[in-house]
Amino acid sequence: MSNTPQTKKGLGTFDFFCVGFGAIVVVGWAVSLNKWMASAGGPVPAALGYLITLVLMVPVGLCFAELVPMLPVAGGTTAFTYRAFGEKASYVAGWLTLGAFLTLMPWEAIYVVDIASILFPALKAGAPLYVLAGSDIYLGHIVVGTIIALFFFYINYKGADLAAGLQKVLCIFLIGVGVLSMVCGLVKFDVNNLMPVYENIGTSAHNSMFGGMFAILATSPFFLCGFENIPQAVEDAGGSHKKVGFTVLLSIIMACLFYALLLFCIGAAWPWQDFYLNTESPAAANVFAKIFAGSAMGNVMYILLCAGALCGLLTTWNSFFMGTANLMMALARTHMLPFALSKRSAKTGTPVNALIVCLVASIVGPFLGLGLIDPLTTFSAAAYVVSWGLAAFCLIKLRKTEPNLPRPYKIPGGLPMAWFAALSMVAILIMMFIPGTPAYIGGMAVKMFLAWCVVGVAMFLATAPSRNQKSPEERYNNLFANAAQHHQKDLMMD
């Protein structure tokens, strides 16, 4: 394979956990809790909705825990489907996942500059440059967003070790602020604040608590997608790939419990029907400012939660800079994207051209504004559900067609567990596209999904001449060339 990196790689288990968990718990606890309560009909059904999500996602996490060390190459579901179902299925998985990944880049940029303008009001000084989808766009937002995007490009260009080091620092601070929020919420705990336990406030298509719980499924895949960055970075592992796969499962479990506890603790600290009406961002910071109004504690919590929200956004942005570039590199290796995107720096081993695309996608964000956040969120959620369902079907297929593949880890429950994961994702995907169901993603997101599919068909056709210049065996080897040496390293470590 061309462009083989020359640098020493060595991300450890905790690095991968921070890549996954730090990318997952970014905005949910800080800026989206009120929206979750509104969509579910209260903090209790929202918290229970994340516990349902946990039940549905653990089997998916288990599938990844087996697949990642079995096929330890960049690409995640793209690589799994290439091995199990061939090139066309791989492209479907890769293109949809890429759409979701690329969406995250401007999404994070939008929220980062929004939170930054709260801490530094001068960023909104003067008249807005223009208004897009009801959102004011300021020059300060564009400048700050561009500077941060350039910073992340530099960090990730210098190599996975440096990016992972930054991720650990940000992730530890993020977890600390989240735990502190739970504790402070419990200090002001009042069960009356959770009442009524359920009430449809007119924002979602449900009329029962059970429906409210399932309404969370319209967005929860988006807020759990950070674990997808772990298989993208698996080639940078310095330890056992079995442990890398396990961090996928651990990240999912910890994130779902983290979200559920925060919904319950903060929901009980302030009347939730007042909370969801709070449109100021970040919602959690503003609630604590009111809970502890007139005291130094209120000011401290407000500043800490704003800083925590900003920190969390940066962890996700950093993770997806790394993950998106690796995904593009995997697709380019098989000529399903322009092959130039597979180029890796001779000095750092990073996919430099793919990182440039990530930089451009990030810089676009501040030009868009908050008005497009909701459809971007639900579009991404649907794309991820497709990817996760395909991963489960890959495990089922590969268990039958390649039973002798090295499997450092095998999921408990075997094929029945994988079938549960696959069929659960199929059911959720169907609900996402049926108007009137609690999990419906909305008309704008459906249009975005279909448009991305049309662009994907055009891209596949455009790259066909490049693919045809290489034999299927050569394209296959480009993607899986590093798998054998990774398996050998695992055997030596065992």
Side-chain angles (χ1 to χ4, degrees), residues 3 5 9 235-236 329 333 342-346 349-352:
N3 301 317
K9 299 178 179 181
E235 291 189 25
D236 296 320
M329 178 180 68
R333 283 173 172 174
S342 68
K343 179 183 177 182
R344 306 183 78 170
S345 167
T350 52
V352 58

Side-chain angles (χ1 to χ4, degrees), residues 423-463:
L423 296 178
S424 296
M425 294 302 104
V426 169
I428 293 172
L429 184 66
I430 292 172
M431 288 192 293
M432 284 179 157
F433 285 88
I434 298 179
T437 63
Y440 179 54
I441 62 176
M444 178 62 74
V446 171
K447 292 176 183 176
M448 292 173 65
F449 189 93
L450 294 176
W452 185 250
C453 290
V454 171
V455 174
V457 172
M459 177 62 74
F460 192 75
L461 294 175
T463 53

Side-chain angles (χ1 to χ4, degrees), residues 100-412:
F101 271 38
L102 285 174
T103 298
L104 260 294
M105 310 299 288
W107 197 100
E108 297 303 325
I110 291 169
Y111 259 127
V112 163
V113 296
D114 184 62
I115 302 300
S117 65
I118 295 172
L119 295 171
F120 307 100
L123 295 177
K124 283 188 175 181
L129 295 177
Y130 56 91
V131 178
L132 180 63
S135 178
D136 294 335
I137 310 300
Y138 292 87
L139 177 62
H141 286 175
I142 294 172
V143 172
V144 170
T146 301
I147 291 172
I148 297 174
L150 287 167
F151 171 73
F152 280 131
F153 172 81
Y154 173 78
I155 289 292
N156 283 274
Y157 172 75
K158 295 298 289 184
D161 290 344
L162 183 58
L166 174 64
Q167 189 75 3
K168 280 192 288 189
V169 173
L170 294 173
C171 185
I172 290 169
F173 180 78
L174 168 65
I175 293 172
V177 173
V179 171
L180 179 62
S181 300
M182 292 184 205
V183 173
C184 290
L186 289 174
V187 168
K188 293 291 185 176
F189 183 91
D190 185 344
V191 70
N192 292 320
N193 292 331
L194 298 172
M195 301 299 169
V197 174
Y198 167 80
E199 181 177 338
N200 186 349
I201 60 174
T203 61
S204 298
H206 53 76
N207 52 23
S208 68
M209 184 167 172
F210 189 73
M213 290 157 58
F214 270 85
I216 290 295
L217 295 177
T219 57
S220 60
F222 175 85
F223 291 105
L224 293 173
C225 66
F227 78 84
E228 279 260 22
N229 288 289
I230 294 174
Q232 302 303 333
V234 69
E235 291 189 25
D236 296 320
S240 167
H241 290 91
K242 178 180 178 179
K243 293 180 180 178
V244 173
F246 180 73
T247 60
V248 173
L249 178 63
L250 182 62
S251 297
I252 292 171
I253 294 172
M254 293 293 290
C256 285
L257 293 176
F258 194 82
Y259 284 150
L261 286 170
L262 280 167
L263 279 160
F264 184 75
C265 293
I266 297 180
W270 187 259
W272 75 265
Q273 290 185 321
D274 293 335
F275 188 12
Y276 89 79
L277 290 173
N278 176 28
T279 58
E280 297 177 78
S281 185
N286 283 286
V287 164
F288 277 108
K290 294 175 180 178
I291 292 172
F292 297 101
S295 68
M297 185 65 175
N299 292 331
V300 169
M301 286 300 297
Y302 180 81
I303 293 172
L304 276 177
L305 262 76
C306 284
L310 185 59
C311 181
L313 288 160
L314 294 176
T315 63
T316 300
W317 199 350
N318 183 46
S319 283
F320 276 92
F321 229 104
M322 183 191 311
T324 306
N326 282 325
L327 175 58
M328 284 190 282
M329 178 180 68
L331 286 165
R333 283 173 172 174
T334 54
H335 296 264
M336 290 189 286
L337 286 181
F339 190 69
L341 292 174
S342 68
K343 179 183 177 182
R344 306 183 78 170
S345 167
K347 292 183 178 180
T348 65
T350 52
V352 58
N353 289 340
L355 285 171
I356 292 173
V357 176
C358 294
L359 174 63
V360 173
S362 297
I363 291 175
V364 166
F367 287 88
L368 300 178
L370 286 167
L372 295 176
I373 281 291
D374 289 341
L376 286 175
T377 301
T378 49
F379 158 73
S380 292
Y384 283 119
V385 168
V386 174
S387 172
W388 301 340
L390 284 172
F393 281 117
C394 287
L395 189 147
I396 294 167
K397 178 71 177 296
L398 291 172
R399 280 282 190 101
K400 295 178 179 179
T401 58
E402 298 195 57
N404 296 323
L405 265 177
R407 288 175 170 82
Y409 175 80
K410 286 190 174 183
I411 64 172

Side-chain angles (χ1 to χ4, degrees), residues 62-77:
L62 286 169
C63 289
F64 273 87
E66 177 170 327
L67 288 165
V68 169
M70 184 174 70
L71 296 170
V73 295
T77 306

